[in-house]
Amino acid sequence: MGFKVLVIEDEPQMAGLLKRALVEEGHATTVAKTGLDGLSLALSESFDVLLLDAMLPGMDGWTVLRRLRNTGSRIPVLMVTARDAVSDVIQGLDLGADDYLVKPFSLEVLLARVRALGRRGPAPRTVLLQVADLTMHQGTRDVARAGRRIVLTRKEYAILELLMRETPRVVTYDALLQTVWGGSGDIELNTVTVFMRLLRSKIETDGEPRLLHTLRGVGYVVRVEP
């Protein structure tokens, strides 16, 4: 049984080797040469397995993995990299990689791991997020508070989804910029503040208890305060 595989690898010889081996094994294989292109493909198309290098131009593999998981994607990820330090392996797994393979490696081992991850399939994704009486249904993208439907823009929805996924942890300004705005250097802190003010006006009305909290100089968090 073949799987749909995405390879994010910038080194042409390695990318070609991986694609040939995967295609010969019967897997439909797409190659992206940069982290940004790979992330875009992973978010816009459906893949069974992702092979991800750590050292990529522009956006490195760690950032790709972090942003992918922050969107809620559960695609099985195999890190394939020359970074062999214990700290690198731990970082990859902690960020959400399902497996880690150090270069150089045996193609037979890589193919076996791809088969194992493909059979496993994506981990179940949480459909309903809830903090107190605020709910977000990711299947329908419906947001409500105490039964009151809340209409959000795409950007507002992305911000709130990230905050609700991370609750009760604080989401830093940098994490917001990286995940919601793609790390754009054109976005100023004032822009984030404006979006937060608009979001708060929608989820906290008519004297409802505050859920969206600002930690000045740090970031934001959605949680119930005692």
Side-chain angles (χ1 to χ4, degrees):
M1 176 183 176
F3 299 108
K4 189 174 180 182
V5 180
L6 173 62
V7 177
I8 308 180
E9 168 64 62
D10 66 309
E11 204 284 308
Q13 186 174 356
M14 176 59 68
L17 175 66
L18 291 173
K19 183 169 184 177
R20 285 193 299 273
L22 290 164
V23 169
E24 288 176 4
E25 181 88 354
H27 306 301
T29 305
T30 301
V31 174
K33 297 180 181 179
T34 69
L36 187 58
D37 288 345
L39 179 63
S40 178
L41 281 169
L43 294 177
S44 62
E45 299 185 27
S46 176
F47 292 94
D48 299 307
V49 180
L50 167 59
L51 271 58
L52 177 63
D53 188 14
M55 295 177 287
L56 297 167
M59 182 186 296
D60 63 30
W62 313 121
T63 303
V64 171
L65 183 56
R66 181 185 300 109
R67 291 177 59 181
L68 187 65
R69 293 307 188 219
N70 282 342
T71 67
S73 171
R74 304 319 311 164
I75 177 176
V77 174
L78 170 59
M79 297 288 295
V80 182
T81 174
R83 300 286 292 268
D84 60 354
V86 172
S87 59
D88 291 322
V89 177
I90 292 173
Q91 180 180 7
L93 296 176
D94 282 347
L95 286 173
D98 298 271
D99 202 351
Y100 198 103
L101 188 60
V102 176
K103 301 175 183 176
F105 51 82
S106 160
L107 278 177
E108 288 78 7
V109 171
L110 179 135
L111 293 172
R113 294 191 180 191
V114 168
R115 291 194 298 270
L117 291 176
R119 288 193 299 268
R120 181 190 306 174
R125 176 176 175 174
T126 301
V127 174
L128 181 69
L129 299 176
Q130 182 167 1
V131 179
D133 56 357
L134 177 65
T135 59
M136 172 181 285
H137 195 290
Q138 296 176 291
T140 61
R141 299 178 71 87
D142 286 335
V143 179
R145 182 162 190 189
R148 171 178 60 85
R149 185 168 181 266
I150 301 172
V151 179
L152 301 177
T153 65
R154 290 183 63 183
K155 196 71 71 178
E156 290 167 347
Y157 182 94
I159 293 169
L160 185 59
E161 181 181 33
L162 175 60
L163 292 171
M164 292 183 72
R165 278 192 167 278
E166 293 298 316
T167 187
R169 294 180 294 274
V170 176
V171 176
T172 65
Y173 295 118
D174 183 63
L176 271 171
L177 290 174
Q178 288 289 338
T179 304
V180 178
W181 280 276
S184 173
D186 298 329
I187 302 300
E188 298 181 352
L189 182 57
N190 285 343
T191 302
V192 178
T193 302
V194 169
F195 270 97
M196 288 301 178
R197 187 179 302 125
L198 292 170
L199 186 57
R200 180 174 283 124
S201 72
K202 293 183 178 184
I203 67 175
E204 299 167 2
T205 63
D206 300 325
E208 291 172 318
R210 173 158 289 190
L211 291 177
L212 176 53
H213 304 274
T214 303
L215 279 74
R216 301 208 177 275
V218 181
Y220 300 90
V221 62
V222 168
R223 66 186 177 201
V224 179
E225 292 288 278

